[in-house]
Amino acid sequence: MEQIIEGIFNYGPTLVTLASIVTATTPTPKDEGVLRGAYRIIESLALVVGRAKEGNK
């Protein structure tokens, strides 16, 4: 159990940072295929919630 918690604290911030870089630099897929599902998982890891990704209109 201790190793799991230690792993979360060691690798969690890196995972969030990498996922944030991916979501910030790639366009959101328009289709509802496998790519969109994978992108939603990456957005969740990047802590993108609500309208955080929306740019200027």
Side-chain angles (χ1 to χ4, degrees):
M1 184 68 171
E2 216 173 281
Q3 289 177 337
I4 293 172
I5 294 172
E6 185 177 321
I8 290 171
F9 281 108
N10 286 335
Y11 299 112
T14 303
L15 182 63
V16 170
T17 301
L18 291 174
S20 295
I21 290 169
V22 169
T23 57
T25 59
T26 57
T28 304
K30 300 292 183 205
D31 64 344
E32 289 294 326
V34 175
L35 186 60
R36 178 65 182 142
Y39 194 81
R40 281 189 169 169
I41 292 170
I42 294 171
E43 281 184 326
S44 297
L45 291 173
L47 305 175
V48 175
V49 293
R51 298 177 183 239
K53 176 106 180 180
E54 286 187 16
N56 296 335
K57 290 187 178 195

